[in-house]
Amino acid sequence: MQGRLGSIRDRLRPEGDSALPATVRAAWWRGPFAAALLLAWCLLIYLPGLGALPVIDRDEARFAQASRQMFESVALPREQRTDELHAGGLIVPKMGERDRLNKPPLIYWLQSASAAVFTGADPSLDAIWMYRVPSMLGAIVAVLATWWVGVRLFDPRAAALGAALLAVAPMVVWDSRQARADQVLLACTTVAMAALYVAWKRAAAGQRVPIRAWATLWIATGLGVLTKGPITPMVVVLTIVALALATRSWRWTLRLRPGAGVLIIAAMVFPWVLAVAAQVGFGNYFSIVYDEVLGRSAAPKEGHWGPPGYHFAFLMALFWPGVIVTGLGLLRAARRAIHTPRVAPGRGLRSRIRGLWFRWRCRTVARRGELFCLAWILPSWIVFELVSTKLPHYTMPLYPAVALLSARCLLAAQAGSVAGAFSKPARLGYRLWVVLGWVLLGAAAAGGLWSVRLGGMHILLGLAAAIACVGAGYALWRTIDDADDGRFVRTQLVALVAGLILALSIVHAAVPGVVRLTDRLAAILHRADPDASRPVASVRYHEDSLVFATRGRLSRLNEPQIDAWRRANPTGVLIVPERLAPHLIADGMTRLGGASGFNYSSGRSEALAVLADRP
């Protein structure tokens, strides 16, 4: 009976109204209080451990080192700059002596500016956390923009809950502490989509689209292009096409000022493109862009391949704990977004096809919020599943819409208006959701216990992380009865706390306890060369984190090159595998130290010796 009444209330309720009684639809859920609460939630998740994580190979180390060299190219005195490291200036990012043009420049500009602010324009004082600040701010902007558009799409409580789910998603949590471009891309895309919804709603109603809406749309899209190329424009354009097809109307797209949009994006992007072409040649730059965009679509790059369905499978873990009703939320949104007339099914295949075609031609838009989120998710998700190169974070610009549909369905299920929420498959899904949470928390607890062997504060942090993860796993097990009884909000709130514990355990105990090999080598190098004036070379261990630790001085050698490098650099420091150390020591080198650990990039353990020629 409760389900039937809830369903009736849901059908009679105007679009965007709450799935909860009016007494709990307080105005502050859509005002400054909700924004402040979400900001505090983000800071609680993202600030701890910002500097605790070592430099992560390989992408983060490459981005951070390229940003550092860009910073140094304008902050160092001229006599301390070198053409190999600093010739690109603010135009061409360089990683070591190589140009790094496979990504646009905005993330390098932001990271360089962040380091300049926190160091007082002194590159020698920088640290990895300074280059991570733009990612943290990008995550916060994305969360707040998700809440802002969610208030306009759905109920304010659904908006706040969806934003909270996005904030604690493991993919977002991890990437917010990485000096990479993906969180800035997430922020740009979310802001662009929020502006697109406002513009679409006004344009579809035949009203004038405010300049702040369409200008924000195209400026955010242009910033997305400067961050990571075609991703933001692809999401925006595919959403517009999907909305036009669903509503059988294209005229409203002219109110978005596409011509002005093209000019805005061109004015933002082309000055940098022309400056790059003047330094490296337009043909060379075009070949880099072609390989990065079309090459990744046609063939896997750097071994990053996955079958169709790859991203959906990873969503279960990378968006946990928000996935408890995500499947139901997507199905519910598909049923509610568009209404089609009922047609008596025909007997033959041709009759059935004609009936389906008739229903599609006679479709009407029922719920604009659900339709917009589906248009945001489905076309771009299909593209990501079809391209050959796949990495788990590629679909992150679609997570805000997934979060909002999940939160909307969660509140509706709490109100009893989602009949499928109590079916046997759904109950099985809740148990699988708990098991997945146990796996994630168990991995974090194991990482915390592994870090105990490092001693010192790692003992306290590791034990605290392990105990907290076990407690969170027990709390999840106790909440399964709440889900079975329809207390979905209470279940999700417990899971949000578990997600917070998972995030803090990973960044404070689990990962720092494993990712330490480069830090150990850097400590030995600092003792041997406090002024960082001696040449450094490494054999076999060529990870980019070591390039960052040596401030770009590292030479990467193969075994046959050792003797020539020693003759050219008699004061240099050499890092070699332990098996080569006895021969080199017998040949006149002395041992400065050694380090061993797990190289997570190659998946093997390394034992390395640090050597130098005797004076």
Side-chain angles (χ1 to χ4, degrees), residues 6-19 153-154 328-340 364-371 374 405 408-409 412 417-418:
S7 179
I8 293 171
R9 287 196 305 269
D10 202 50
R11 288 197 299 268
L12 294 179
R13 188 180 302 117
E15 179 184 355
D17 208 2
S18 176
L153 287 167
F154 304 121
L328 287 173
L330 292 172
L331 292 175
R332 181 174 183 268
R335 289 195 297 266
R336 291 161 59 88
I338 294 178
H339 281 174
T340 56
T364 57
V365 176
R367 301 275 182 159
R368 291 186 178 274
E370 279 85 352
L371 177 61
L374 290 176
L405 289 182
R408 175 69 167 158
C409 183
S417 60
V418 182

Short mmCIF file of all heavy atoms in Angstrom, two decimals, residues 6-19 153-154 328-340 364-371 374 405 408-409 412 417-418:
data_model
loop_
_atom_site.label_atom_id
_atom_site.label_comp_id
_atom_site.label_asym_id
_atom_site.label_seq_id
_atom_site.Cartn_x
_atom_site.Cartn_y
_atom_site.Cartn_z
N GLY A 6 3.02 6.01 -2.59
CA GLY A 6 4.20 6.76 -2.99
C GLY A 6 4.26 6.97 -4.48
O GLY A 6 4.65 8.03 -4.96
N SER A 7 3.86 5.96 -5.24
CA SER A 7 3.87 6.10 -6.69
C SER A 7 2.88 7.15 -7.15
O SER A 7 3.16 7.94 -8.06
CB SER A 7 3.56 4.75 -7.35
OG SER A 7 3.55 4.86 -8.73
N ILE A 8 1.69 7.17 -6.52
CA ILE A 8 0.69 8.18 -6.88
C ILE A 8 1.20 9.58 -6.55
O ILE A 8 1.09 10.51 -7.35
CB ILE A 8 -0.63 7.91 -6.13
CG1 ILE A 8 -1.26 6.59 -6.66
CG2 ILE A 8 -1.61 9.07 -6.29
CD1 ILE A 8 -2.45 6.14 -5.84
N ARG A 9 1.80 9.73 -5.36
CA ARG A 9 2.35 11.04 -4.99
C ARG A 9 3.42 11.46 -5.98
O ARG A 9 3.52 12.63 -6.35
CB ARG A 9 2.95 10.98 -3.57
CG ARG A 9 1.94 10.91 -2.45
CD ARG A 9 2.60 11.25 -1.13
NE ARG A 9 3.76 10.43 -0.86
CZ ARG A 9 3.70 9.28 -0.19
NH1 ARG A 9 2.54 8.83 0.25
NH2 ARG A 9 4.80 8.59 0.02
N ASP A 10 4.24 10.51 -6.40
CA ASP A 10 5.33 10.84 -7.31
C ASP A 10 4.81 11.30 -8.66
O ASP A 10 5.40 12.16 -9.30
CB ASP A 10 6.23 9.61 -7.48
CG ASP A 10 7.62 9.98 -7.94
OD1 ASP A 10 8.20 10.87 -7.30
OD2 ASP A 10 8.08 9.39 -8.92
N ARG A 11 3.70 10.71 -9.13
CA ARG A 11 3.15 11.11 -10.43
C ARG A 11 2.48 12.47 -10.35
O ARG A 11 2.51 13.24 -11.32
CB ARG A 11 2.15 10.06 -10.92
CG ARG A 11 2.79 8.76 -11.38
CD ARG A 11 1.81 7.98 -12.22
NE ARG A 11 0.60 7.62 -11.49
CZ ARG A 11 0.45 6.48 -10.82
NH1 ARG A 11 1.45 5.61 -10.79
NH2 ARG A 11 -0.66 6.20 -10.19
N LEU A 12 1.89 12.80 -9.21
CA LEU A 12 1.18 14.07 -9.09
C LEU A 12 2.10 15.22 -8.75
O LEU A 12 1.75 16.38 -8.96
CB LEU A 12 0.10 13.95 -7.98
CG LEU A 12 -1.06 12.98 -8.28
CD1 LEU A 12 -2.01 12.95 -7.10
CD2 LEU A 12 -1.80 13.37 -9.54
N ARG A 13 3.29 14.92 -8.25
CA ARG A 13 4.20 15.95 -7.80
C ARG A 13 4.76 16.73 -8.98
O ARG A 13 5.17 16.14 -9.98
CB ARG A 13 5.35 15.29 -7.04
CG ARG A 13 6.28 16.24 -6.35
CD ARG A 13 7.38 15.49 -5.63
NE ARG A 13 6.78 14.56 -4.68
CZ ARG A 13 6.93 13.25 -4.77
NH1 ARG A 13 7.62 12.73 -5.73
NH2 ARG A 13 6.35 12.47 -3.89
N PRO A 14 4.84 18.04 -8.92
CA PRO A 14 5.46 18.81 -10.02
C PRO A 14 6.94 18.49 -10.13
O PRO A 14 7.58 18.11 -9.15
CB PRO A 14 5.24 20.26 -9.61
CG PRO A 14 5.04 20.22 -8.14
CD PRO A 14 4.35 18.92 -7.84
N GLU A 15 7.47 18.67 -11.34
CA GLU A 15 8.88 18.35 -11.61
C GLU A 15 9.78 19.15 -10.70
O GLU A 15 9.60 20.33 -10.47
CB GLU A 15 9.22 18.66 -13.06
CG GLU A 15 10.66 18.38 -13.40
CD GLU A 15 10.99 18.77 -14.81
OE1 GLU A 15 10.08 19.18 -15.54
OE2 GLU A 15 12.17 18.67 -15.17
N GLY A 16 10.82 18.43 -10.17
CA GLY A 16 11.82 19.10 -9.34
C GLY A 16 11.44 19.16 -7.88
O GLY A 16 12.24 19.54 -7.06
N ASP A 17 10.18 18.76 -7.52
CA ASP A 17 9.79 18.83 -6.12
C ASP A 17 10.39 17.65 -5.38
O ASP A 17 10.86 16.68 -5.96
CB ASP A 17 8.27 18.81 -6.01
CG ASP A 17 7.80 19.53 -4.75
OD1 ASP A 17 8.66 20.05 -4.01
OD2 ASP A 17 6.59 19.55 -4.54
N SER A 18 10.36 17.69 -4.08
CA SER A 18 11.05 16.70 -3.27
C SER A 18 10.30 15.39 -3.21
O SER A 18 9.08 15.33 -3.32
CB SER A 18 11.25 17.24 -1.86
OG SER A 18 11.84 16.27 -1.05
N ALA A 19 11.04 14.30 -3.01
CA ALA A 19 10.43 13.01 -2.74
C ALA A 19 10.13 12.86 -1.25
O ALA A 19 9.67 11.83 -0.81
CB ALA A 19 11.38 11.89 -3.19
N LEU A 153 17.65 20.78 -11.14
CA LEU A 153 17.14 19.58 -11.80
C LEU A 153 16.12 18.84 -10.94
O LEU A 153 15.10 18.37 -11.44
CB LEU A 153 18.30 18.63 -12.11
CG LEU A 153 19.25 19.01 -13.25
CD1 LEU A 153 20.50 18.15 -13.20
CD2 LEU A 153 18.55 18.83 -14.58
N PHE A 154 16.43 18.72 -9.65
CA PHE A 154 15.64 17.87 -8.76
C PHE A 154 15.38 18.60 -7.45
O PHE A 154 15.40 19.82 -7.38
CB PHE A 154 16.38 16.55 -8.50
CG PHE A 154 16.72 15.78 -9.74
CD1 PHE A 154 18.04 15.47 -10.02
CD2 PHE A 154 15.74 15.39 -10.65
CE1 PHE A 154 18.38 14.76 -11.16
CE2 PHE A 154 16.06 14.69 -11.79
CZ PHE A 154 17.38 14.38 -12.05
N LEU A 328 19.13 1.11 -10.46
CA LEU A 328 17.71 1.45 -10.38
C LEU A 328 17.48 2.90 -10.78
O LEU A 328 16.47 3.22 -11.43
CB LEU A 328 17.21 1.22 -8.95
CG LEU A 328 17.03 -0.22 -8.49
CD1 LEU A 328 16.70 -0.27 -7.00
CD2 LEU A 328 15.93 -0.91 -9.29
N GLY A 329 18.39 3.76 -10.41
CA GLY A 329 18.24 5.17 -10.75
C GLY A 329 18.27 5.42 -12.24
O GLY A 329 17.50 6.22 -12.77
N LEU A 330 19.16 4.73 -12.96
CA LEU A 330 19.22 4.89 -14.41
C LEU A 330 17.97 4.35 -15.07
O LEU A 330 17.41 4.97 -15.99
CB LEU A 330 20.46 4.17 -14.95
CG LEU A 330 21.81 4.80 -14.55
CD1 LEU A 330 22.96 3.89 -14.97
CD2 LEU A 330 21.98 6.18 -15.17
N LEU A 331 17.48 3.18 -14.63
CA LEU A 331 16.26 2.61 -15.20
C LEU A 331 15.05 3.50 -14.90
O LEU A 331 14.19 3.73 -15.76
CB LEU A 331 16.03 1.21 -14.65
CG LEU A 331 17.05 0.14 -15.08
CD1 LEU A 331 16.78 -1.17 -14.36
CD2 LEU A 331 16.99 -0.06 -16.59
N ARG A 332 14.99 4.00 -13.68
CA ARG A 332 13.88 4.87 -13.30
C ARG A 332 13.90 6.16 -14.12
O ARG A 332 12.86 6.63 -14.58
CB ARG A 332 13.98 5.19 -11.81
CG ARG A 332 12.88 6.09 -11.26
CD ARG A 332 13.02 6.21 -9.76
NE ARG A 332 11.94 7.01 -9.20
CZ ARG A 332 12.00 8.32 -9.00
NH1 ARG A 332 13.10 8.99 -9.34
NH2 ARG A 332 10.97 8.98 -8.47
N ALA A 333 15.09 6.71 -14.33
CA ALA A 333 15.20 7.94 -15.12
C ALA A 333 14.77 7.68 -16.56
O ALA A 333 14.12 8.53 -17.18
CB ALA A 333 16.63 8.46 -15.08
N ALA A 334 15.15 6.53 -17.12
CA ALA A 334 14.77 6.21 -18.50
C ALA A 334 13.25 6.10 -18.64
O ALA A 334 12.67 6.52 -19.66
CB ALA A 334 15.44 4.92 -18.94
N ARG A 335 12.58 5.55 -17.64
CA ARG A 335 11.11 5.42 -17.70
C ARG A 335 10.42 6.75 -17.51
O ARG A 335 9.35 6.99 -18.07
CB ARG A 335 10.63 4.43 -16.63
CG ARG A 335 10.98 2.99 -16.90
CD ARG A 335 10.17 2.07 -16.00
NE ARG A 335 10.48 2.29 -14.59
CZ ARG A 335 11.37 1.61 -13.89
NH1 ARG A 335 12.07 0.65 -14.49
NH2 ARG A 335 11.60 1.87 -12.63
N ARG A 336 11.02 7.64 -16.73
CA ARG A 336 10.36 8.90 -16.40
C ARG A 336 10.72 10.04 -17.34
O ARG A 336 10.00 11.03 -17.42
CB ARG A 336 10.73 9.30 -14.97
CG ARG A 336 10.13 8.40 -13.90
CD ARG A 336 10.87 8.56 -12.58
NE ARG A 336 10.85 9.91 -12.09
CZ ARG A 336 9.90 10.43 -11.32
NH1 ARG A 336 8.86 9.68 -10.97
NH2 ARG A 336 9.97 11.67 -10.89
N ALA A 337 11.83 9.92 -18.05
CA ALA A 337 12.28 11.03 -18.88
C ALA A 337 11.34 11.27 -20.06
O ALA A 337 11.01 12.42 -20.39
CB ALA A 337 13.70 10.77 -19.38
N ILE A 338 10.92 10.21 -20.71
CA ILE A 338 10.10 10.31 -21.92
C ILE A 338 8.90 9.38 -21.79
O ILE A 338 9.04 8.22 -21.38
CB ILE A 338 10.92 9.94 -23.18
CG1 ILE A 338 12.01 10.97 -23.41
CG2 ILE A 338 10.04 9.82 -24.41
CD1 ILE A 338 12.90 10.67 -24.58
N HIS A 339 7.72 9.90 -22.14
CA HIS A 339 6.51 9.08 -22.17
C HIS A 339 6.18 8.71 -23.62
O HIS A 339 6.27 9.55 -24.53
CB HIS A 339 5.34 9.82 -21.55
CG HIS A 339 5.36 9.81 -20.05
ND1 HIS A 339 4.47 10.50 -19.27
CD2 HIS A 339 6.19 9.16 -19.18
CE1 HIS A 339 4.73 10.30 -17.99
NE2 HIS A 339 5.77 9.50 -17.91
N THR A 340 5.81 7.47 -23.83
CA THR A 340 5.37 7.01 -25.15
C THR A 340 4.00 6.37 -25.00
O THR A 340 3.70 5.75 -23.98
CB THR A 340 6.35 5.98 -25.73
OG1 THR A 340 6.50 4.89 -24.81
CG2 THR A 340 7.70 6.61 -25.97
N THR A 364 6.78 12.09 -25.84
CA THR A 364 6.72 13.41 -25.23
C THR A 364 7.66 13.44 -24.03
O THR A 364 7.87 12.44 -23.35
CB THR A 364 5.30 13.74 -24.74
OG1 THR A 364 4.86 12.73 -23.82
CG2 THR A 364 4.33 13.82 -25.92
N VAL A 365 8.25 14.60 -23.80
CA VAL A 365 9.16 14.76 -22.66
C VAL A 365 8.32 14.87 -21.39
O VAL A 365 7.40 15.68 -21.29
CB VAL A 365 10.04 15.99 -22.83
CG1 VAL A 365 10.91 16.21 -21.59
CG2 VAL A 365 10.92 15.84 -24.07
N ALA A 366 8.66 14.04 -20.40
CA ALA A 366 7.93 14.05 -19.14
C ALA A 366 8.71 14.75 -18.04
O ALA A 366 8.20 15.61 -17.35
CB ALA A 366 7.59 12.61 -18.73
N ARG A 367 9.96 14.37 -17.86
CA ARG A 367 10.78 14.93 -16.79
C ARG A 367 12.08 15.47 -17.37
O ARG A 367 12.94 14.71 -17.83
CB ARG A 367 11.11 13.85 -15.76
CG ARG A 367 9.89 13.22 -15.10
CD ARG A 367 9.42 14.05 -13.93
NE ARG A 367 8.28 13.46 -13.25
CZ ARG A 367 7.93 13.75 -12.01
NH1 ARG A 367 8.64 14.62 -11.34
NH2 ARG A 367 6.88 13.19 -11.46
N ARG A 368 12.22 16.77 -17.38
CA ARG A 368 13.40 17.37 -17.98
C ARG A 368 14.67 17.03 -17.21
O ARG A 368 15.75 16.89 -17.80
CB ARG A 368 13.23 18.88 -18.07
CG ARG A 368 12.18 19.32 -19.06
CD ARG A 368 12.17 20.84 -19.20
NE ARG A 368 11.19 21.26 -20.19
CZ ARG A 368 11.44 21.33 -21.49
NH1 ARG A 368 12.64 21.00 -21.94
NH2 ARG A 368 10.51 21.72 -22.34
N GLY A 369 14.58 16.94 -15.90
CA GLY A 369 15.77 16.63 -15.11
C GLY A 369 16.36 15.29 -15.46
O GLY A 369 17.56 15.15 -15.71
N GLU A 370 15.51 14.26 -15.47
CA GLU A 370 15.98 12.93 -15.82
C GLU A 370 16.49 12.87 -17.26
O GLU A 370 17.52 12.25 -17.55
CB GLU A 370 14.86 11.90 -15.63
CG GLU A 370 14.66 11.44 -14.21
CD GLU A 370 13.76 12.37 -13.42
OE1 GLU A 370 13.41 13.45 -13.94
OE2 GLU A 370 13.41 12.03 -12.27
N LEU A 371 15.78 13.54 -18.18
CA LEU A 371 16.21 13.54 -19.57
C LEU A 371 17.58 14.19 -19.72
O LEU A 371 18.45 13.68 -20.44
CB LEU A 371 15.18 14.26 -20.43
CG LEU A 371 15.53 14.40 -21.92
CD1 LEU A 371 15.69 13.03 -22.57
CD2 LEU A 371 14.48 15.23 -22.66
N LEU A 374 20.35 11.83 -18.42
CA LEU A 374 20.58 10.72 -19.34
C LEU A 374 21.31 11.18 -20.59
O LEU A 374 22.19 10.48 -21.11
CB LEU A 374 19.25 10.05 -19.71
CG LEU A 374 18.56 9.26 -18.60
CD1 LEU A 374 17.22 8.74 -19.09
CD2 LEU A 374 19.43 8.10 -18.13
N LEU A 405 21.35 11.25 -10.32
CA LEU A 405 20.31 10.23 -10.54
C LEU A 405 20.30 9.21 -9.41
O LEU A 405 19.23 8.74 -9.01
CB LEU A 405 20.53 9.54 -11.88
CG LEU A 405 20.24 10.36 -13.13
CD1 LEU A 405 20.46 9.53 -14.39
CD2 LEU A 405 18.81 10.90 -13.12
N ARG A 408 18.65 10.96 -6.40
CA ARG A 408 17.22 11.11 -6.67
C ARG A 408 16.49 9.80 -6.43
O ARG A 408 15.43 9.76 -5.79
CB ARG A 408 17.03 11.59 -8.10
CG ARG A 408 15.59 11.69 -8.57
CD ARG A 408 14.87 12.80 -7.87
NE ARG A 408 13.60 13.08 -8.52
CZ ARG A 408 12.58 13.68 -7.94
NH1 ARG A 408 12.68 14.06 -6.69
NH2 ARG A 408 11.47 13.92 -8.59
N CYS A 409 17.06 8.70 -6.94
CA CYS A 409 16.43 7.39 -6.76
C CYS A 409 16.46 6.96 -5.30
O CYS A 409 15.52 6.34 -4.80
CB CYS A 409 17.14 6.36 -7.63
SG CYS A 409 16.41 4.72 -7.59
N ALA A 412 13.67 8.71 -3.53
CA ALA A 412 12.39 8.16 -3.98
C ALA A 412 12.16 6.77 -3.39
O ALA A 412 11.03 6.42 -3.00
CB ALA A 412 12.35 8.11 -5.50
N SER A 417 8.43 4.98 -3.49
CA SER A 417 7.90 5.16 -4.84
C SER A 417 8.75 4.46 -5.91
O SER A 417 8.59 4.73 -7.09
CB SER A 417 7.78 6.65 -5.17
OG SER A 417 9.05 7.27 -5.10
N VAL A 418 9.66 3.59 -5.49
CA VAL A 418 10.44 2.79 -6.43
C VAL A 418 10.17 1.33 -6.11
O VAL A 418 10.79 0.73 -5.22
CB VAL A 418 11.95 3.09 -6.33
CG1 VAL A 418 12.74 2.27 -7.35
CG2 VAL A 418 12.22 4.57 -6.53
#
